[in-house]
Amino acid sequence: MRGEEFAITQDNQPVVKLVVIPKQAKPNRQAGSAQGMVGMSDDFDEPLEEFKE
């Protein structure tokens, strides 16, 4: 985890090399960036036909 590399050998020959994968930076989030991308129908709160009884 400190950036060291390790080799796994077979018959004194390296066959596998282990390395640390660096963390990728997360994109900065901004409040309201998805505004207008999600919609809701006018009858969202109305009971479903199947449950009107």
Side-chain angles (χ1 to χ4, degrees):
M1 298 301 289
R2 294 181 303 241
E4 299 175 43
E5 295 183 2
F6 292 92
I8 298 175
T9 62
Q10 184 176 31
D11 298 325
N12 284 336
Q13 297 295 316
V15 291
V16 176
K17 181 166 89 171
L18 300 174
V19 296
V20 174
I21 300 173
K23 289 184 179 179
Q24 295 182 353
K26 293 182 182 179
N28 291 334
R29 297 184 205 168
Q30 185 175 3
S33 64
Q35 187 173 4
M37 296 176 73
V38 178
M40 190 178 305
S41 64
D42 293 334
D43 64 349
F44 178 78
D45 291 331
E46 298 298 319
L48 297 172
E49 290 290 325
E50 296 86 20
F51 297 108
K52 280 199 173 186
E53 296 177 7

